[in-house]
Amino acid sequence: MRVDGGGAAGETPAGQARAAAVVQPGVRLGDELGRPVSVDQVLTNMTSAFAKEARRLQESLQRREADQALLVELAAGNFTGRAYERFENELAAYAMSVLRGWMHSGFIFKLTAARGFSLNPSGDELEELFRKSDAREELAIMTVALALPRFREQALVNGGWRLEGGASLSTYFMGACLYVFPNEVRKRRAQRKKWRLQDSGDPGTAPPPTEGRIDDPCVITVGNQRVCDDLGRVDDRTRAVLALTIDGYTQEEIVELLDEVSVRAIEGVLYRWRQKEQNQQPGGGSDG
């Protein structure tokens, strides 16, 4: 609706509304429920909302400035020592509390899905996390334990966290936890599957001993203890594959647990390790 002579050029809509209310004192607006609300009340509500948002932004900035000061202090000690341990313990306690709450409500699965990790929890999984505190505790402990060193390296040492990024250190760490949590859920699923097969005792439900299982000849030859002794000499990826091999996981399970691309990739890791071990044996690497 056009209103002629509604105000000076360039006047804001709020100013025009106030002018209209002055000229026509009886003019009233309606809220979302259709109840009459005066223009002054609308302007007061808008001012209150802006003030609340301004306070929120100011508090966020103050928290991040405090985090920045703490970061400088921790960096002076190379992110080690008593001060860093105290910081890490406080961060871990905070994260575990938040994670337990997210798991209890199931909200954590929405958060991980938003990051591209669609875990599609079953009803039994949701029920367990809702009812069993020890299940929430176990997942929270493992998630935080694995996220802490990654957070230290990426966010602190390598400068991934920045004051101007908009997130506090604790919020940033919760994001790191959400990238670790999916793997912990997958590990738990694989372990549960393994337990079910062991407990069933039914040959019809368990796979044949050699079907899909990594009974690597080199592992059998040198023995599990020897392999364990050698784990310190290999890279992280090979170490993880060998450790899971010793524990009896299938190739498919290791692919899922380590987020590998395929069973063939796992076979390649084992093949290269086997060749290296054979070459290190007396007379290894020779043709005769």
Side-chain angles (χ1 to χ4, degrees):
M1 178 177 67
R2 178 181 177 184
V3 179
D4 294 327
E11 188 175 10
T12 65
Q16 293 176 4
R18 185 179 291 278
V22 171
V23 174
Q24 304 177 41
V27 172
R28 299 179 71 84
L29 303 176
D31 64 8
E32 65 275 9
L33 298 179
R35 296 172 300 196
V37 178
S38 68
V39 172
D40 282 343
Q41 184 61 49
V42 171
L43 295 174
T44 298
N45 291 343
M46 290 174 61
T47 302
S48 176
F50 290 144
K52 183 182 295 185
E53 178 65 11
R55 285 195 300 271
R56 187 191 69 80
L57 293 174
Q58 180 64 25
E59 290 170 357
S60 173
L61 177 60
Q62 290 173 347
R63 282 195 301 271
R64 286 181 282 122
E65 287 175 340
D67 284 344
Q68 178 65 36
L70 175 61
L71 188 63
V72 172
E73 177 186 341
L74 296 175
N78 197 28
F79 302 106
T80 59
R82 202 168 283 180
Y84 184 75
E85 288 179 7
R86 183 167 57 251
F87 162 76
E88 200 172 54
N89 289 338
E90 292 174 356
L91 189 63
Y94 167 79
M96 287 184 60
S97 175
V98 173
L99 285 171
R100 287 193 298 261
W102 285 350
M103 284 186 271
H104 185 266
S105 66
F107 183 57
I108 194 166
F109 294 104
K110 292 183 179 180
L111 293 173
T112 52
R115 286 161 173 76
F117 303 106
S118 296
L119 295 169
N120 300 316
S122 66
D124 288 342
E125 285 178 317
L126 292 173
E127 183 74 9
E128 180 185 37
L129 292 177
F130 176 75
R131 293 190 177 279
K132 296 186 177 180
S133 61
D134 58 340
R136 298 193 297 270
E137 187 78 8
E138 179 184 338
L139 277 171
I141 289 174
M142 291 304 300
T143 298
V144 170
L146 292 172
L148 278 171
R150 180 179 301 183
F151 171 78
R152 178 187 180 277
E153 187 69 21
Q154 297 179 355
L156 305 182
V157 176
N158 293 335
W161 180 86
R162 296 181 182 277
L163 183 148
E164 60 272 17
S168 65
L169 279 173
S170 57
T171 300
Y172 194 102
F173 180 62
M174 292 312 303
C177 288
L178 289 174
Y179 281 96
V180 172
F181 180 77
N183 269 344
E184 292 309 300
V185 171
R186 296 187 186 106
K187 289 178 186 178
R188 189 179 180 84
R189 287 173 176 172
Q191 187 64 59
R192 291 294 181 85
K193 178 182 177 182
K194 184 178 178 182
W195 288 342
R196 284 196 299 270
L197 292 175
Q198 290 175 345
D199 292 343
S200 68
D202 182 358
T205 61
T210 58
E211 182 180 330
R213 189 160 297 282
I214 310 176
D215 291 329
D216 188 88
C218 192
V219 173
I220 296 174
T221 300
V222 302
N224 286 351
Q225 185 57 51
R226 164 71 184 282
V227 175
C228 288
D229 293 341
D230 291 343
L231 288 182
R233 297 190 289 105
V234 298
D235 59 85
D236 291 342
R237 183 187 183 205
T238 303
R239 185 182 303 116
V241 171
L242 289 173
L244 291 172
T245 297
I246 294 171
D247 286 342
Y249 284 91
T250 66
Q251 292 176 339
E252 289 78 8
E253 288 170 342
I254 293 180
V255 167
E256 185 175 7
L257 290 173
L258 300 182
D259 199 25
E260 290 283 347
V261 294
S262 65
V263 168
R264 185 175 294 274
I266 299 299
E267 292 173 344
V269 171
L270 288 169
Y271 173 79
R272 288 188 291 273
W273 173 78
R274 183 168 58 247
Q275 291 296 109
K276 184 177 179 180
E277 285 297 310
Q278 289 174 348
N279 290 336
Q280 289 179 351
Q281 298 297 318
S286 64
D287 295 329

